[in-house]
Amino acid sequence: MRCAVAVLFPVVLMLVACQREERDTRPQSALGSGEQPTPVTTLEPGGQRPSPTDNKAASFEANAFHLSEGKRLFGWFNCSGCHANGGGGMGPALMDEKWIYGSSMESIHATIRDGRPNGMPSFRDKIPDDQIWELAAFVRSLSGNAPSSAAPSRNDDMMAHPSENRMPNAATLGKSP
Amino acid sequence: MKQAAQPARSCGDAPLTKRSSAPRKRSLGAFAAMLLVCAPLLTAASESPPAPAISPPAAAAPPDDGQWTMPAKNYASTRYSELAEINEGNVKNLQVAFTFSTGVNKGQEAAPLVVGSTMYIVSPFPNTVYALDLSKSGAPMKWKYEPNPEPAAQGVACCDVVNRGAAFANGRIFFNTLDGHTIALDANTGQPVWNAHVGNINIGETITMAPLVVKGKVLVGNSGGEMGVRGWVKALDAGDGHVVWTAYNTGPDKEVLIGPDFKPHYDTDKGKDLGVSTWPPEAWKIGGGNMWGWISYDPDLNLIFHGTGNPGPWNPDLRPGDNKWTSGIFARDPDTGAAKWFYQWTPHDLHDYDGINEQILLDMNWQGKPRKVLVRPERNGYLYVLDRTTGEVLSAKPYGPVNSSKGVDLKTGRLIENPDKLTGTGKVVRDICPTASGLKDWQPSAFSPKTGLLYIPHNNLCMDEEGVEVNYIAGTPYVGMNVRMIPGPGGNRGAFTAWDIAAEKPTWSLKENFPVWSGAVVTAGDVVFYGTMEGWFKAVSAKTGDLLWQFKTSSGIIGQPITYRGPDGHQYVAVLSGVGGWAGAIVSGDLDPRDATAALGFVNAMKDLKNATTAGGTLYVFRLP
């Protein structure tokens, strides 16, 4: 028994590590995925039904390559100009526990692709779909919603806040200090 | 470094010294100036009272009629009221006369207007205009006008969704909306007369400034220096809103309205198409130089004066050159827009030093000669005195801590950069003073001809900056700089300084915990009013700075106080309370203080503001019992 654990443990580790390190450098489609409904409210007459998840969400979220690409793109597409390094400015803070349009990968993907009425631009024709998923995954890491094993661990720039892999989960943290 | 640091330190220490050496020296200086002015007067017309040593030109500051028809009070922008019912002795008795909620939880930077028996206020986005009937008890609403601006405009406004006020002329209220409209309303009914769409939010253009009406033209400028928007000033016909002229602040001479009349004082501003050649190819098209601040007007010279904003992007590596005509000031003919002269406060700006602050027009004796001057407490930290007929710099002294530059060369007019504080890509430069928000930002000062002092609400902050690469994507920020602000020397993040213009030094200075982001007003009763970001509305002595009265309003104050004579013949003081603006964005935008770079770095210096105040726009009006 103990022997089996000893054998299995490294295998499990390897599997996790695999997902973390997987690199999908040739995205399939420029547009296309994320067409599932992404409700922006939890209020549904008669009770909430689970909304379908996109299979891209899970694969992008736990992947270190996608997360660090998301971080690079966050500066590259000027997200940081409006949201700073997550604390917000012209746009709202993304590192806190408050979400206007939902915290799921699917919701954030929809936010970036389609824009939002009070000043979030639509990047539909500017950012290829897979890169939108990378951005969405990185946005979640800002509030501690990405596995710390995969989240970016340091900045090459002036450190604006602790690195994403050390960010506490904003929702369980409660009020930001 | 030393030269700049010296006055800086004395300025910070001013509260200690204010009752000792400084006033004595000042009165001597003022006395000498009086002698100079009075000498010719005594021989010429001995019966007329001696003119004050420094005063605004009469044509730009007519006798006070008790109204407040433009945010700066008059074309000279003195923000001085001749009303004296409220004075140093009785101001402590001020009481609330009435209050009014603007219904908006964003930064309230506007000045209320008073015309006849009506008060007009314009709210931040969604830019609702209210008319309140002052002749009735409790000032009930006469009308309101909702322009319904595009909600998306909120995303491209760099520093909260503020509006700095409306202007009244010829029975009409003129104001701007965040989404780039200039609107004329019938002042009696609130009905729109015309609506001109002059700004485009899809390239990041917004309008936050208060228009100025000069000779039947409504002068308007755009915001967007953080979005790579090319700056302009337009004159719209007050009658029907059509564009009479447009003057760009970058680009070829014919678009900047530089022609044969253009006679700048300094050689660096002479040459063809400098608005193109002082930039890398095409960069002037996305180079900023916006006009979101204040305009003054001299009817005698028939000149308007307006500043120009920072060049974009903030990262200076992307735009080698002097970046004309950004971070400077133009004198223009209001009829045609033709430029008369230009002076650049901050050539090739490295730190977001917009040049759009208020300019106070004054006539005074300078080194024995009568001069028509323009006084400007500038964002880069210097208190400039310019000859407003030529643009020549007469004086430029720091009015607080400055280390980003080492002074101004009065021969060439050029700011002397400090090589230790040069910013660039991939380089973190620490402890730069003042910050991107300047020693003073938009918050306008007030001048009293009775004291000869300029009352300056300002900041005391320093910053770290790191240039980063940035792509231009129209309608998104074009900044390229990580900024992290910290309190300046002494730890007080704000100050309220009375500056002796003739003596070129402060008379007194008050420390404030937070940046003083409100405007100021000064009266013939020798009382100065300003607000703090905690929400205190303060009255201090114009002579000594002593606190005479204060009232805690419901939210932090970043608005422009005014004073007027009500329909009952008594003096009132009004101010909008409601925190926000760039300094208060942490509260009005609910930003996260754990990110040092939030709100372009301002949040780092304002981490505790959320514990000091909450958002909410309310008008407060005070009177004596």
Side-chain angles (χ1 to χ4, degrees), chain A residues 76 78 81 85-88 90 95 98 117-119 157-161 177, chain B residues 152 154 158 466 471 476-477 484 590-599:
Chain A
W76 218 238
N78 296 347
N85 288 291
M90 299 179 219
M95 66 200 286
K98 299 165 199 165
N118 294 314
D157 295 321
M158 188 160 90
M159 287 297 275
H161 54 67
Chain B
Q154 296 170 92
C158 88
E466 180 204 31
N471 296 315
T476 71
R484 172 166 66 191
D590 189 19
L591 308 183
D592 198 312
R594 290 174 298 165
D595 177 359
T597 60

PDB file of all heavy atoms in Angstrom, chain A residues 76 78 81 85-88 90 95 98 117-119 157-161 177, chain B residues 152 154 158 466 471 476-477 484 590-599:
ATOM      1  N   TRP A  76       0.470  44.441 -23.100  1.00  0.00           N
ATOM      2  CA  TRP A  76       0.575  44.636 -24.539  1.00  0.00           C
ATOM      3  C   TRP A  76      -0.681  45.272 -25.143  1.00  0.00           C
ATOM      4  O   TRP A  76      -0.601  46.108 -26.027  1.00  0.00           O
ATOM      5  CB  TRP A  76       0.835  43.275 -25.187  1.00  0.00           C
ATOM      6  CG  TRP A  76       1.784  43.315 -26.329  1.00  0.00           C
ATOM      7  CD1 TRP A  76       1.517  42.904 -27.595  1.00  0.00           C
ATOM      8  CD2 TRP A  76       3.120  43.790 -26.319  1.00  0.00           C
ATOM      9  NE1 TRP A  76       2.622  43.096 -28.374  1.00  0.00           N
ATOM     10  CE2 TRP A  76       3.616  43.647 -27.623  1.00  0.00           C
ATOM     11  CE3 TRP A  76       3.949  44.341 -25.332  1.00  0.00           C
ATOM     12  CZ2 TRP A  76       4.907  44.031 -27.967  1.00  0.00           C
ATOM     13  CZ3 TRP A  76       5.222  44.717 -25.680  1.00  0.00           C
ATOM     14  CH2 TRP A  76       5.694  44.562 -26.984  1.00  0.00           C
ATOM     15  N   ASN A  78      -2.777  47.118 -23.534  1.00  0.00           N
ATOM     16  CA  ASN A  78      -3.126  48.302 -22.758  1.00  0.00           C
ATOM     17  C   ASN A  78      -4.223  48.080 -21.730  1.00  0.00           C
ATOM     18  O   ASN A  78      -4.843  49.030 -21.271  1.00  0.00           O
ATOM     19  CB  ASN A  78      -3.521  49.476 -23.670  1.00  0.00           C
ATOM     20  CG  ASN A  78      -2.369  49.932 -24.542  1.00  0.00           C
ATOM     21  OD1 ASN A  78      -1.228  49.546 -24.295  1.00  0.00           O
ATOM     22  ND2 ASN A  78      -2.647  50.732 -25.547  1.00  0.00           N
ATOM     23  N   GLY A  81      -3.255  49.964 -18.828  1.00  0.00           N
ATOM     24  CA  GLY A  81      -3.497  51.402 -18.859  1.00  0.00           C
ATOM     25  C   GLY A  81      -4.774  51.775 -18.125  1.00  0.00           C
ATOM     26  O   GLY A  81      -4.848  52.818 -17.481  1.00  0.00           O
ATOM     27  N   ASN A  85      -2.050  47.575 -12.503  1.00  0.00           N
ATOM     28  CA  ASN A  85      -1.600  46.187 -12.350  1.00  0.00           C
ATOM     29  C   ASN A  85      -2.628  45.406 -11.530  1.00  0.00           C
ATOM     30  O   ASN A  85      -2.270  44.577 -10.701  1.00  0.00           O
ATOM     31  CB  ASN A  85      -0.206  46.154 -11.744  1.00  0.00           C
ATOM     32  CG  ASN A  85       0.849  46.621 -12.741  1.00  0.00           C
ATOM     33  OD1 ASN A  85       1.134  45.956 -13.711  1.00  0.00           O
ATOM     34  ND2 ASN A  85       1.384  47.826 -12.521  1.00  0.00           N
ATOM     35  N   GLY A  86      -3.903  45.718 -11.759  1.00  0.00           N
ATOM     36  CA  GLY A  86      -4.986  45.007 -11.089  1.00  0.00           C
ATOM     37  C   GLY A  86      -5.761  45.867 -10.111  1.00  0.00           C
ATOM     38  O   GLY A  86      -6.895  45.562  -9.767  1.00  0.00           O
ATOM     39  N   GLY A  87      -5.140  46.978  -9.681  1.00  0.00           N
ATOM     40  CA  GLY A  87      -5.802  47.829  -8.691  1.00  0.00           C
ATOM     41  C   GLY A  87      -6.819  48.769  -9.290  1.00  0.00           C
ATOM     42  O   GLY A  87      -7.643  49.345  -8.585  1.00  0.00           O
ATOM     43  N   GLY A  88      -6.773  48.951 -10.613  1.00  0.00           N
ATOM     44  CA  GLY A  88      -7.770  49.773 -11.286  1.00  0.00           C
ATOM     45  C   GLY A  88      -7.366  51.218 -11.443  1.00  0.00           C
ATOM     46  O   GLY A  88      -6.361  51.682 -10.874  1.00  0.00           O
ATOM     47  N   MET A  90      -8.914  53.931 -14.641  1.00  0.00           N
ATOM     48  CA  MET A  90     -10.053  54.274 -15.497  1.00  0.00           C
ATOM     49  C   MET A  90     -11.082  53.145 -15.468  1.00  0.00           C
ATOM     50  O   MET A  90     -12.269  53.365 -15.612  1.00  0.00           O
ATOM     51  CB  MET A  90      -9.591  54.485 -16.932  1.00  0.00           C
ATOM     52  CG  MET A  90      -8.590  55.616 -17.053  1.00  0.00           C
ATOM     53  SD  MET A  90      -8.042  55.814 -18.755  1.00  0.00           S
ATOM     54  CE  MET A  90      -6.320  56.160 -18.478  1.00  0.00           C
ATOM     55  N   MET A  95      -8.301  42.932  -8.931  1.00  0.00           N
ATOM     56  CA  MET A  95      -7.677  42.050  -7.957  1.00  0.00           C
ATOM     57  C   MET A  95      -8.535  41.905  -6.698  1.00  0.00           C
ATOM     58  O   MET A  95      -8.171  41.173  -5.787  1.00  0.00           O
ATOM     59  CB  MET A  95      -6.274  42.564  -7.593  1.00  0.00           C
ATOM     60  CG  MET A  95      -6.261  43.895  -6.865  1.00  0.00           C
ATOM     61  SD  MET A  95      -4.651  44.721  -6.984  1.00  0.00           S
ATOM     62  CE  MET A  95      -3.687  43.723  -5.854  1.00  0.00           C
ATOM     63  N   LYS A  98     -14.742  41.904  -5.831  1.00  0.00           N
ATOM     64  CA  LYS A  98     -15.987  42.418  -6.410  1.00  0.00           C
ATOM     65  C   LYS A  98     -15.987  42.241  -7.919  1.00  0.00           C
ATOM     66  O   LYS A  98     -15.061  42.681  -8.594  1.00  0.00           O
ATOM     67  CB  LYS A  98     -16.151  43.896  -6.055  1.00  0.00           C
ATOM     68  CG  LYS A  98     -16.232  44.142  -4.560  1.00  0.00           C
ATOM     69  CD  LYS A  98     -16.016  45.610  -4.241  1.00  0.00           C
ATOM     70  CE  LYS A  98     -15.640  45.771  -2.779  1.00  0.00           C
ATOM     71  NZ  LYS A  98     -15.076  47.095  -2.489  1.00  0.00           N
ATOM     72  N   PRO A 117     -20.848  47.974 -20.943  1.00  0.00           N
ATOM     73  CA  PRO A 117     -21.419  49.274 -21.296  1.00  0.00           C
ATOM     74  C   PRO A 117     -20.741  50.509 -20.682  1.00  0.00           C
ATOM     75  O   PRO A 117     -20.712  51.561 -21.313  1.00  0.00           O
ATOM     76  CB  PRO A 117     -22.878  49.177 -20.820  1.00  0.00           C
ATOM     77  CG  PRO A 117     -22.986  47.941 -20.011  1.00  0.00           C
ATOM     78  CD  PRO A 117     -21.865  47.049 -20.379  1.00  0.00           C
ATOM     79  N   ASN A 118     -20.195  50.385 -19.463  1.00  0.00           N
ATOM     80  CA  ASN A 118     -19.672  51.599 -18.831  1.00  0.00           C
ATOM     81  C   ASN A 118     -18.201  51.844 -19.107  1.00  0.00           C
ATOM     82  O   ASN A 118     -17.473  52.367 -18.268  1.00  0.00           O
ATOM     83  CB  ASN A 118     -19.951  51.565 -17.326  1.00  0.00           C
ATOM     84  CG  ASN A 118     -21.434  51.633 -17.047  1.00  0.00           C
ATOM     85  OD1 ASN A 118     -22.143  52.454 -17.642  1.00  0.00           O
ATOM     86  ND2 ASN A 118     -21.916  50.765 -16.183  1.00  0.00           N
ATOM     87  N   GLY A 119     -17.749  51.481 -20.293  1.00  0.00           N
ATOM     88  CA  GLY A 119     -16.418  51.900 -20.691  1.00  0.00           C
ATOM     89  C   GLY A 119     -15.401  50.806 -20.896  1.00  0.00           C
ATOM     90  O   GLY A 119     -14.226  51.094 -21.117  1.00  0.00           O
ATOM     91  N   ASP A 157       9.307  44.084 -13.900  1.00  0.00           N
ATOM     92  CA  ASP A 157       9.124  45.516 -13.693  1.00  0.00           C
ATOM     93  C   ASP A 157       9.121  45.846 -12.208  1.00  0.00           C
ATOM     94  O   ASP A 157       9.253  44.994 -11.362  1.00  0.00           O
ATOM     95  CB  ASP A 157       7.789  45.950 -14.305  1.00  0.00           C
ATOM     96  CG  ASP A 157       7.797  45.789 -15.810  1.00  0.00           C
ATOM     97  OD1 ASP A 157       8.845  46.074 -16.403  1.00  0.00           O
ATOM     98  OD2 ASP A 157       6.779  45.372 -16.363  1.00  0.00           O
ATOM     99  N   MET A 158       8.923  47.134 -11.947  1.00  0.00           N
ATOM    100  CA  MET A 158       8.704  47.628 -10.603  1.00  0.00           C
ATOM    101  C   MET A 158       7.594  46.777  -9.981  1.00  0.00           C
ATOM    102  O   MET A 158       6.545  46.594 -10.586  1.00  0.00           O
ATOM    103  CB  MET A 158       8.242  49.080 -10.746  1.00  0.00           C
ATOM    104  CG  MET A 158       8.136  49.844  -9.490  1.00  0.00           C
ATOM    105  SD  MET A 158       8.182  51.626  -9.885  1.00  0.00           S
ATOM    106  CE  MET A 158       6.457  51.999 -10.104  1.00  0.00           C
ATOM    107  N   MET A 159       7.827  46.232  -8.797  1.00  0.00           N
ATOM    108  CA  MET A 159       6.807  45.388  -8.189  1.00  0.00           C
ATOM    109  C   MET A 159       5.661  46.261  -7.668  1.00  0.00           C
ATOM    110  O   MET A 159       5.826  47.015  -6.726  1.00  0.00           O
ATOM    111  CB  MET A 159       7.403  44.572  -7.041  1.00  0.00           C
ATOM    112  CG  MET A 159       8.303  43.440  -7.517  1.00  0.00           C
ATOM    113  SD  MET A 159       7.456  42.195  -8.507  1.00  0.00           S
ATOM    114  CE  MET A 159       6.800  41.123  -7.247  1.00  0.00           C
ATOM    115  N   ALA A 160       4.525  46.124  -8.317  1.00  0.00           N
ATOM    116  CA  ALA A 160       3.378  46.929  -7.920  1.00  0.00           C
ATOM    117  C   ALA A 160       2.636  46.283  -6.762  1.00  0.00           C
ATOM    118  O   ALA A 160       1.993  46.935  -5.962  1.00  0.00           O
ATOM    119  CB  ALA A 160       2.434  47.112  -9.100  1.00  0.00           C
ATOM    120  N   HIS A 161       2.720  44.951  -6.681  1.00  0.00           N
ATOM    121  CA  HIS A 161       2.052  44.198  -5.620  1.00  0.00           C
ATOM    122  C   HIS A 161       2.716  42.823  -5.573  1.00  0.00           C
ATOM    123  O   HIS A 161       3.503  42.485  -6.470  1.00  0.00           O
ATOM    124  CB  HIS A 161       0.548  44.101  -5.889  1.00  0.00           C
ATOM    125  CG  HIS A 161       0.212  43.547  -7.245  1.00  0.00           C
ATOM    126  ND1 HIS A 161       0.476  42.252  -7.623  1.00  0.00           N
ATOM    127  CD2 HIS A 161      -0.364  44.142  -8.330  1.00  0.00           C
ATOM    128  CE1 HIS A 161       0.075  42.057  -8.861  1.00  0.00           C
ATOM    129  NE2 HIS A 161      -0.424  43.197  -9.335  1.00  0.00           N
ATOM    130  N   PRO A 177      -7.330  45.157   2.287  1.00  0.00           N
ATOM    131  CA  PRO A 177      -6.761  45.967   3.376  1.00  0.00           C
ATOM    132  C   PRO A 177      -6.709  47.451   3.041  1.00  0.00           C
ATOM    133  O   PRO A 177      -6.630  47.799   1.892  1.00  0.00           O
ATOM    134  CB  PRO A 177      -5.353  45.405   3.524  1.00  0.00           C
ATOM    135  CG  PRO A 177      -5.058  44.716   2.238  1.00  0.00           C
ATOM    136  CD  PRO A 177      -6.342  44.265   1.663  1.00  0.00           C
TER     137      PRO A 177
ATOM    138  N   ALA B 152     -20.226  54.743 -22.149  1.00  0.00           N
ATOM    139  CA  ALA B 152     -18.883  54.241 -22.469  1.00  0.00           C
ATOM    140  C   ALA B 152     -17.812  55.307 -22.257  1.00  0.00           C
ATOM    141  O   ALA B 152     -16.634  54.980 -22.084  1.00  0.00           O
ATOM    142  CB  ALA B 152     -18.842  53.741 -23.908  1.00  0.00           C
ATOM    143  N   GLN B 154     -17.182  56.872 -19.750  1.00  0.00           N
ATOM    144  CA  GLN B 154     -16.566  56.718 -18.425  1.00  0.00           C
ATOM    145  C   GLN B 154     -15.265  55.926 -18.485  1.00  0.00           C
ATOM    146  O   GLN B 154     -14.378  56.118 -17.655  1.00  0.00           O
ATOM    147  CB  GLN B 154     -17.523  55.997 -17.478  1.00  0.00           C
ATOM    148  CG  GLN B 154     -18.788  56.774 -17.201  1.00  0.00           C
ATOM    149  CD  GLN B 154     -19.800  55.908 -16.450  1.00  0.00           C
ATOM    150  OE1 GLN B 154     -19.834  55.903 -15.235  1.00  0.00           O
ATOM    151  NE2 GLN B 154     -20.587  55.156 -17.200  1.00  0.00           N
ATOM    152  N   CYS B 158      -9.490  59.764 -18.024  1.00  0.00           N
ATOM    153  CA  CYS B 158      -8.276  59.274 -17.365  1.00  0.00           C
ATOM    154  C   CYS B 158      -8.380  59.222 -15.879  1.00  0.00           C
ATOM    155  O   CYS B 158      -7.873  58.359 -15.225  1.00  0.00           O
ATOM    156  CB  CYS B 158      -7.070  60.145 -17.722  1.00  0.00           C
ATOM    157  SG  CYS B 158      -6.851  61.561 -16.623  1.00  0.00           S
ATOM    158  N   GLU B 466       8.794  54.157 -13.686  1.00  0.00           N
ATOM    159  CA  GLU B 466       9.480  53.184 -14.517  1.00  0.00           C
ATOM    160  C   GLU B 466       8.858  53.206 -15.911  1.00  0.00           C
ATOM    161  O   GLU B 466       7.672  52.912 -16.079  1.00  0.00           O
ATOM    162  CB  GLU B 466       9.334  51.784 -13.932  1.00  0.00           C
ATOM    163  CG  GLU B 466      10.034  50.733 -14.770  1.00  0.00           C
ATOM    164  CD  GLU B 466       9.457  49.344 -14.595  1.00  0.00           C
ATOM    165  OE1 GLU B 466       8.251  49.233 -14.333  1.00  0.00           O
ATOM    166  OE2 GLU B 466      10.201  48.385 -14.749  1.00  0.00           O
ATOM    167  N   ASN B 471       1.995  50.105 -26.629  1.00  0.00           N
ATOM    168  CA  ASN B 471       1.488  50.125 -28.002  1.00  0.00           C
ATOM    169  C   ASN B 471       0.380  51.160 -28.108  1.00  0.00           C
ATOM    170  O   ASN B 471      -0.414  51.318 -27.185  1.00  0.00           O
ATOM    171  CB  ASN B 471       0.899  48.763 -28.367  1.00  0.00           C
ATOM    172  CG  ASN B 471       1.957  47.684 -28.357  1.00  0.00           C
ATOM    173  OD1 ASN B 471       3.046  47.870 -28.885  1.00  0.00           O
ATOM    174  ND2 ASN B 471       1.659  46.571 -27.723  1.00  0.00           N
ATOM    175  N   THR B 476      -7.508  53.458 -26.283  1.00  0.00           N
ATOM    176  CA  THR B 476      -7.015  52.862 -25.036  1.00  0.00           C
ATOM    177  C   THR B 476      -5.834  53.710 -24.552  1.00  0.00           C
ATOM    178  O   THR B 476      -5.281  54.515 -25.304  1.00  0.00           O
ATOM    179  CB  THR B 476      -6.552  51.400 -25.238  1.00  0.00           C
ATOM    180  OG1 THR B 476      -5.336  51.400 -25.994  1.00  0.00           O
ATOM    181  CG2 THR B 476      -7.604  50.571 -25.962  1.00  0.00           C
ATOM    182  N   PRO B 477      -5.435  53.524 -23.302  1.00  0.00           N
ATOM    183  CA  PRO B 477      -4.380  54.377 -22.750  1.00  0.00           C
ATOM    184  C   PRO B 477      -3.055  54.252 -23.513  1.00  0.00           C
ATOM    185  O   PRO B 477      -2.708  53.183 -24.010  1.00  0.00           O
ATOM    186  CB  PRO B 477      -4.233  53.862 -21.321  1.00  0.00           C
ATOM    187  CG  PRO B 477      -5.569  53.299 -21.005  1.00  0.00           C
ATOM    188  CD  PRO B 477      -6.045  52.672 -22.280  1.00  0.00           C
ATOM    189  N   ARG B 484       4.416  55.244  -8.940  1.00  0.00           N
ATOM    190  CA  ARG B 484       4.086  54.911  -7.552  1.00  0.00           C
ATOM    191  C   ARG B 484       4.353  56.174  -6.746  1.00  0.00           C
ATOM    192  O   ARG B 484       5.493  56.616  -6.661  1.00  0.00           O
ATOM    193  CB  ARG B 484       5.000  53.753  -7.146  1.00  0.00           C
ATOM    194  CG  ARG B 484       4.990  53.359  -5.718  1.00  0.00           C
ATOM    195  CD  ARG B 484       5.671  52.020  -5.550  1.00  0.00           C
ATOM    196  NE  ARG B 484       7.100  52.074  -5.874  1.00  0.00           N
ATOM    197  CZ  ARG B 484       7.869  50.994  -6.015  1.00  0.00           C
ATOM    198  NH1 ARG B 484       7.378  49.792  -5.917  1.00  0.00           N
ATOM    199  NH2 ARG B 484       9.151  51.118  -6.282  1.00  0.00           N
ATOM    200  N   ASP B 590     -13.508  53.052  -6.240  1.00  0.00           N
ATOM    201  CA  ASP B 590     -13.322  51.861  -5.409  1.00  0.00           C
ATOM    202  C   ASP B 590     -12.104  51.061  -5.870  1.00  0.00           C
ATOM    203  O   ASP B 590     -12.180  49.868  -6.147  1.00  0.00           O
ATOM    204  CB  ASP B 590     -14.586  50.989  -5.437  1.00  0.00           C
ATOM    205  CG  ASP B 590     -14.507  49.857  -4.402  1.00  0.00           C
ATOM    206  OD1 ASP B 590     -13.679  49.971  -3.470  1.00  0.00           O
ATOM    207  OD2 ASP B 590     -15.250  48.867  -4.544  1.00  0.00           O
ATOM    208  N   LEU B 591     -10.958  51.710  -5.933  1.00  0.00           N
ATOM    209  CA  LEU B 591      -9.742  51.052  -6.419  1.00  0.00           C
ATOM    210  C   LEU B 591      -9.088  50.268  -5.284  1.00  0.00           C
ATOM    211  O   LEU B 591      -9.393  50.474  -4.111  1.00  0.00           O
ATOM    212  CB  LEU B 591      -8.786  52.095  -7.011  1.00  0.00           C
ATOM    213  CG  LEU B 591      -9.427  53.011  -8.062  1.00  0.00           C
ATOM    214  CD1 LEU B 591      -8.396  53.963  -8.641  1.00  0.00           C
ATOM    215  CD2 LEU B 591     -10.093  52.205  -9.184  1.00  0.00           C
ATOM    216  N   ASP B 592      -8.183  49.360  -5.663  1.00  0.00           N
ATOM    217  CA  ASP B 592      -7.567  48.475  -4.673  1.00  0.00           C
ATOM    218  C   ASP B 592      -6.207  49.015  -4.245  1.00  0.00           C
ATOM    219  O   ASP B 592      -5.275  49.065  -5.049  1.00  0.00           O
ATOM    220  CB  ASP B 592      -7.419  47.070  -5.260  1.00  0.00           C
ATOM    221  CG  ASP B 592      -7.200  46.038  -4.166  1.00  0.00           C
ATOM    222  OD1 ASP B 592      -6.336  46.289  -3.294  1.00  0.00           O
ATOM    223  OD2 ASP B 592      -7.896  45.010  -4.171  1.00  0.00           O
ATOM    224  N   PRO B 593      -6.079  49.399  -2.970  1.00  0.00           N
ATOM    225  CA  PRO B 593      -4.835  50.036  -2.510  1.00  0.00           C
ATOM    226  C   PRO B 593      -3.634  49.091  -2.496  1.00  0.00           C
ATOM    227  O   PRO B 593      -2.513  49.552  -2.311  1.00  0.00           O
ATOM    228  CB  PRO B 593      -5.178  50.503  -1.092  1.00  0.00           C
ATOM    229  CG  PRO B 593      -6.366  49.709  -0.688  1.00  0.00           C
ATOM    230  CD  PRO B 593      -7.101  49.325  -1.927  1.00  0.00           C
ATOM    231  N   ARG B 594      -3.859  47.776  -2.704  1.00  0.00           N
ATOM    232  CA  ARG B 594      -2.703  46.873  -2.709  1.00  0.00           C
ATOM    233  C   ARG B 594      -1.866  47.027  -3.969  1.00  0.00           C
ATOM    234  O   ARG B 594      -0.724  46.577  -4.016  1.00  0.00           O
ATOM    235  CB  ARG B 594      -3.171  45.426  -2.569  1.00  0.00           C
ATOM    236  CG  ARG B 594      -3.719  45.119  -1.184  1.00  0.00           C
ATOM    237  CD  ARG B 594      -4.305  43.720  -1.159  1.00  0.00           C
ATOM    238  NE  ARG B 594      -5.431  43.605  -2.086  1.00  0.00           N
ATOM    239  CZ  ARG B 594      -5.947  42.442  -2.482  1.00  0.00           C
ATOM    240  NH1 ARG B 594      -5.426  41.317  -2.066  1.00  0.00           N
ATOM    241  NH2 ARG B 594      -6.979  42.413  -3.313  1.00  0.00           N
ATOM    242  N   ASP B 595      -2.423  47.638  -5.002  1.00  0.00           N
ATOM    243  CA  ASP B 595      -1.664  47.869  -6.235  1.00  0.00           C
ATOM    244  C   ASP B 595      -1.096  49.291  -6.187  1.00  0.00           C
ATOM    245  O   ASP B 595      -1.823  50.276  -6.267  1.00  0.00           O
ATOM    246  CB  ASP B 595      -2.593  47.701  -7.451  1.00  0.00           C
ATOM    247  CG  ASP B 595      -1.889  47.992  -8.776  1.00  0.00           C
ATOM    248  OD1 ASP B 595      -0.689  48.351  -8.757  1.00  0.00           O
ATOM    249  OD2 ASP B 595      -2.552  47.875  -9.824  1.00  0.00           O
ATOM    250  N   ALA B 596       0.228  49.376  -6.065  1.00  0.00           N
ATOM    251  CA  ALA B 596       0.876  50.685  -5.915  1.00  0.00           C
ATOM    252  C   ALA B 596       0.693  51.559  -7.144  1.00  0.00           C
ATOM    253  O   ALA B 596       0.804  52.774  -7.076  1.00  0.00           O
ATOM    254  CB  ALA B 596       2.358  50.495  -5.630  1.00  0.00           C
ATOM    255  N   THR B 597       0.418  50.935  -8.286  1.00  0.00           N
ATOM    256  CA  THR B 597       0.346  51.703  -9.526  1.00  0.00           C
ATOM    257  C   THR B 597      -1.092  52.066  -9.913  1.00  0.00           C
ATOM    258  O   THR B 597      -1.317  52.650 -10.972  1.00  0.00           O
ATOM    259  CB  THR B 597       0.957  50.908 -10.690  1.00  0.00           C
ATOM    260  OG1 THR B 597       0.224  49.683 -10.854  1.00  0.00           O
ATOM    261  CG2 THR B 597       2.413  50.580 -10.430  1.00  0.00           C
ATOM    262  N   ALA B 598      -2.070  51.706  -9.084  1.00  0.00           N
ATOM    263  CA  ALA B 598      -3.468  51.989  -9.430  1.00  0.00           C
ATOM    264  C   ALA B 598      -3.677  53.490  -9.580  1.00  0.00           C
ATOM    265  O   ALA B 598      -3.006  54.295  -8.927  1.00  0.00           O
ATOM    266  CB  ALA B 598      -4.398  51.424  -8.368  1.00  0.00           C
ATOM    267  N   ALA B 599      -4.632  53.866 -10.452  1.00  0.00           N
ATOM    268  CA  ALA B 599      -4.901  55.271 -10.770  1.00  0.00           C
ATOM    269  C   ALA B 599      -3.603  55.992 -11.127  1.00  0.00           C
ATOM    270  O   ALA B 599      -3.286  57.054 -10.587  1.00  0.00           O
ATOM    271  CB  ALA B 599      -5.622  55.993  -9.641  1.00  0.00           C
TER     272      ALA B 599
END
